[in-house]
Amino acid sequence: MDKELLLGAEAVGLAAIDAGISGVYAYPGTPSTEITEYIQHSPIAREKNIRSNWTANEKTAYEAALGMSYAGKRALVCMKHVGLNVAADAFMNSAITGCNGGMVILVADDPSMHSSQNEQDTRMYGKFAYLPVLEPSNQQEIYNLVRFGFNMSEQTELPVLVRITTRLSHSRAIVVRNNEKTQNILNPAQKKSDWILLPANARKNYAQLLSKQDILLELSESSSVNSIVDTSGDIGVIACGIAYNYAMEIKQMKSKEFGVLKISQYPLPLKKIKSFIDSYSTILVAEEGYPIYEELLPAYFPGTTFKGRLTGDLPRMGELNPQIIAHALAVDLGEKNTASEIVIPRPPSLCKGCGHRDLFTELNSILKDYTQQHVFSDIGCYTLGALPPFDTISTCVDMGASVTMAKGAADAGLHPAIAVIGDSTFTHSGMTGLLDAVNDKNHITIIISDNSTTAMTGGQDSAGTGKIAEICKGIGVDENHIKTLIPHKKHFEHNCAIIKEEIEYKGVSVIISQRECVQTAVRKKKQQKK
Amino acid sequence: MNKNCIIAGVGGQGILTIAAIIDIAAIKHNLFVKQAEVHGMSQRGGAVESHIRISDSEIFSDLIPSGQADCIIATEPLEALRYVPFLKKNGMIISAQKPFINCDNYPEEEKLFSELKNYSSIIVDAEKLALQNGSIKATNTVILGAAAPFLDIPETLFAEAISHFFAAKGKQIVSMNISAFNDGLAYSKKN
Ligand SMILES: Cc1ncc(C[n+]2csc(CCOP(=O)(O)OP(=O)(O)O)c2C)c(N)n1
Ligand code: SF4
């Protein structure tokens, strides 16, 4: 079959298309964005009429995928790790309903926080919900396991979680395709009690979920991706997901003897683990993420010494790499050059000509006159307003939190209470907070820095483009206090005057600071040329 | 056969283009390839890197272990120096000469180049050679040309890979990039 050089993320997209999905649902988020983009740009997906537009947030994505599964068709939902927090209510409860058409939840974690606020480990959510988790170690295995995940989902009638990480998602390797499957026919779920989670039904369904755990364990025990690869040496490595690559790299490079048990499917296959660790007194548990299983294994196998992130043999946080694994196995990789002392960090910054720049310049000039200079902000390119030369913003916590934190601070008596939020973040989860503020008649100023795109993640369509003012009006903001400004040097005085006026207005005001993202504008121009 | 190289530069300098062309050439040469790249936050004028690994046998790690890179290919000298802990003891640095200064405390150029001299290095005025070929945009293909002799892939395959990569942009862009590549290659062979 065809061979292609694909990013891990693209391998997910291709596998889902070949598995016969009828739709992908996603909100962008590094390192998961390229999955949906691959499907959006795939001519095969277009031919097969696979639904692939961006959704407003991860919760809407999740529920729509569940609806497609209810209708009997296969659906993929993807997001970055923190996106699952937003979709968590739907996720946890979909474990209780189960699914009809195959449903795969692809979550891309970001250990080391290359572009995230935390490094939460999605495998924990799998355990939390009692759902199976697949954790591929390379791009080909991503393809295979996403395909397998859809089959397994239909077989067990459960959504299946597939976890990848930044390294895998953003690394290319050759992937070989398999036969394509046709899409499922419309075949809606019939048993209402599965889907109506009234307490009486929920209790029965939950018991059923618990009774499926033995089946999931059996599937893990017999899975070919959980395999004892090597039984040499006097230390064994339980290598989870991508950690397997690093262990094998060290083995290949230094011909070092140590045992390797590769794990790519959870719940953990305890019988297989037992037969592996019986030959060793010491085991290194290499997990790309939290030491979830390192913490649990000693209770199952009290006679064995387990080493890993909790014992300090591996770093407590951050992503793994070959050197870290080598160090933990006392393998010397030889001398290396020392880092140069004159090398300085080169952090990212807002593009030249970006409208967010002008907004921050305006805000800095206005705030000079106030004793309280707090700007509650949010996640997007504009978070770079935290860095010099601006240093404008005071917070960035989770998507939508700018509006609600400004609201809470206003409740506490803070003035000015200013929120700066991007257009995509506003429609993701800022709108509901605005409704709270309107209902409480808060004295706050919400600035929506509207560049008509989701710029941070590479310029995806933004759900509210062209509708922001109408949305705010609909939520109940007084029309006279919804102001649209063009952030540009030539409007500096005018903009400052308006923003100041609205800060002083004793109610909810919304300022839409509107100029297209420079990068998106360039991209559009290029596309028009084609 | 087994080559590890780090491609380094600043967001927007086209390091992923260099990586993609090497990928294509390596696949044409029937080699295994793994190429890790940076997306997201670091692209707005921040430091960007890509790890390319090519081999005639299976490659496990997506990341090059420290001290194991055969070469660093950089579009900018500070970025070349950033990754020296990855470089093998006898590894090679191929870097464009012109600094890209977008931060306040950029090191003094003299110090930068004197440190680079501690390694086997080829510093090429890639921008000049690119301009001679008609466009500053070909700077990265000049650098690729200068790096080509160290990659163990036949030079003709690079020309094929460049043709393949730029095919959609038309014949003129293809031939300009091949010529820029050849100038980089010639410079490297002379030095
Ligand atoms: C729950 C969650 N989903 C997704 C992301 C990834 N993410 C960070 S910023 C952003 C979009 C920002 O778009 P916008 O608010 O329009 O600001 P811009 O970057 O365009 O300035 C996304 C999708 C995240 N951090 N958290
Ligand atoms: S990508 Fe767009 S929004 Fe982001 S910094 Fe650049 S111009 Fe501004």
Side-chain angles (χ1 to χ4, degrees), chain A residues 27-30 58 80 82-84 86 115-117 356 379-382 399 421-426 428 449 451 453-457 462 517:
Chain A
Y27 179 74
T30 316
E58 292 86 353
K80 70 182 289 168
V82 289
L84 191 53
V86 176
S115 30
S116 308
Q117 317 99 285
H356 296 322
I379 310 189
C381 279
Y382 52 93
M399 290 189 73
I421 185 168
D423 51 308
S424 180
T425 304
F426 178 68
H428 176 283
S449 196
N451 54 9
T453 190
T454 317
M456 178 82 236
T457 43
S462 175
C517 159

Side-chain angles (χ1 to χ4, degrees), chain A residues 3-5 7 30 34 114-115 137-139 166-174 242 244-246 248-250 252-254 319-323 333-351 380-381 383-384 455-459 519 526, chain B residues 4 9-10 16 20 23-24 27 30-47 49 51 53 57-68 76 78-79 81-82 84-89 100-108 111-112 115 119:
Chain A
K3 238 167 73 166
E4 291 178 55
L5 186 70
L7 286 176
T30 316
E34 296 83 355
H114 297 283
S115 30
S137 66
N138 62 38
Q139 292 72 2
T166 304
R167 263 328 139 190
L168 209 47
S169 181
H170 288 171
S171 171
R172 289 173 203 279
I174 291 165
I242 201 170
Y244 169 73
N245 297 356
Y246 302 141
M248 294 307 285
E249 179 75 26
I250 299 305
Q252 189 185 47
M253 193 159 77
K254 294 285 167 186
E319 66 178 334
L320 301 173
N321 61 35
Q323 334 26 310
L333 290 185
E335 260 187 88
K336 61 171 190 178
N337 298 310
T338 42
S340 161
E341 279 172 14
I342 62 170
V343 169
I344 46 152
R346 193 191 303 255
S349 57
L350 291 167
C351 302
C381 279
T383 311
L384 294 172
M456 178 82 236
T457 43
Q519 303 289 353
K526 270 193 195 158
Chain B
N4 295 324
V10 180
L16 293 184
D23 290 345
I24 299 169
I27 291 172
N30 279 324
L31 297 170
F32 288 89
V33 182
K34 273 206 175 176
Q35 184 225 321
E37 53 195 52
V38 174
H39 294 201
M41 193 77 161
S42 349
Q43 288 184 321
R44 275 152 210 81
E49 64 181 289
H51 289 214
R53 314 193 68 196
S57 56
E58 184 178 3
I59 303 164
F60 287 103
S61 172
D62 299 83
L63 295 172
I64 299 170
S66 63
Q68 298 299 322
E76 202 279 338
L78 171 61
E79 295 311 317
L81 201 54
R82 187 181 306 281
V84 293
F86 278 96
L87 196 62
K88 273 186 187 159
K89 275 295 175 191
F100 185 95
I101 303 174
N102 64 346
C103 38
D104 290 340
N105 41 353
Y106 194 93
E108 282 171 39
K111 280 195 191 155
L112 199 56
E115 282 215 26
Y119 305 90

Side-chain angles (χ1 to χ4, degrees), chain A residues 105-395:
Chain A
I105 310 140
L106 190 298
V107 183
D109 288 1
D110 189 19
S112 279
M113 306 178 231
H114 297 283
S115 30
S116 308
Q117 317 99 285
N118 74 29
E119 59 172 27
Q120 66 185 60
D121 185 333
T122 295
R123 296 177 307 155
M124 203 83 147
Y125 262 118
K127 273 187 79 58
F128 192 23
Y130 291 111
L131 287 178
V133 179
L134 303 174
E135 191 189 16
S137 66
N138 62 38
Q139 292 72 2
Q140 182 66 56
E141 207 168 62
I142 290 181
Y143 180 88
N144 299 346
L145 284 183
V146 169
R147 300 274 326 240
F148 171 74
F150 279 106
N151 294 339
M152 181 182 183
S153 168
E154 283 175 1
Q155 183 197 340
T156 59
E157 297 180 352
L158 290 174
V160 171
L161 193 56
V162 179
R163 180 227 193 195
I164 60 174
T165 55
T166 304
R167 263 328 139 190
L168 209 47
S169 181
H170 288 171
S171 171
R172 289 173 203 279
I174 291 165
V175 173
V176 183
R177 284 175 75 179
N178 226 317
N179 295 337
E180 292 171 53
K181 187 194 164 299
T182 51
Q183 292 183 34
N184 290 354
I185 53 162
L186 188 69
N187 180 22
Q190 300 299 341
K191 202 169 149 205
K192 286 190 174 182
S193 64
D194 281 352
W195 294 88
I196 303 176
L197 296 184
L198 280 167
N201 292 340
R203 277 179 219 117
K204 265 190 223 135
N205 295 355
Y206 180 50
Q208 200 179 11
L209 172 66
L210 294 178
S211 74
K212 283 183 188 171
Q213 298 306 303
D214 285 343
I215 302 170
L216 298 182
L217 189 61
E218 244 350 280
L219 286 171
S220 273
E221 295 286 3
S222 60
S223 167
S224 64
V225 295
N226 289 337
S227 64
I228 299 172
V229 177
D230 195 317
T231 51
S232 66
D234 50 18
I235 181 167
V237 182
I238 296 183
C240 302
I242 201 170
Y244 169 73
N245 297 356
Y246 302 141
M248 294 307 285
E249 179 75 26
I250 299 305
K251 189 176 266 303
Q252 189 185 47
M253 193 159 77
K254 294 285 167 186
S255 325
K256 161 99 177 171
E257 295 205 329
F258 55 85
V260 178
L261 169 60
K262 173 183 182 300
I263 297 291
S264 284
Q265 183 171 342
Y266 306 84
L268 272 195
L270 292 171
K271 279 188 222 143
K272 220 174 238 174
I273 292 180
K274 174 150 186 8
S275 75
F276 176 69
I277 67 174
D278 273 352
S279 335
Y280 301 98
S281 56
T282 308
I283 293 286
L284 178 72
V285 187
E287 298 177 79
E288 183 71 310
Y290 289 6
I292 303 175
Y293 293 100
E294 184 189 344
E295 199 172 337
L296 292 175
L297 283 167
Y300 287 108
F301 307 105
T304 306
T305 306
F306 290 96
K307 301 205 293 188
R309 292 190 186 265
L310 293 173
T311 55
D313 292 271
L314 297 172
R316 187 63 180 79
M317 59 184 275
E319 66 178 334
L320 301 173
N321 61 35
Q323 334 26 310
I324 288 174
I325 300 292
H327 181 78
L329 293 170
V331 173
D332 185 9
L333 290 185
E335 260 187 88
K336 61 171 190 178
N337 298 310
T338 42
S340 161
E341 279 172 14
I342 62 170
V343 169
I344 46 152
R346 193 191 303 255
S349 57
L350 291 167
C351 302
K352 277 195 195 118
C354 172
H356 296 322
R357 282 180 174 267
D358 295 275
L359 173 65
F360 291 133
T361 311
E362 291 159 10
L363 279 176
N364 284 351
S365 150
I366 294 163
L367 285 170
K368 272 203 318 273
D369 302 336
Y370 288 91
T371 36
Q372 299 290 358
Q373 305 180 352
H374 303 269
V375 174
F376 298 91
S377 193
D378 229 300
I379 310 189
C381 279
Y382 52 93
T383 311
L384 294 172
L387 306 180
F390 304 109
D391 293 315
T392 311
I393 68 168
S394 320
T395 69

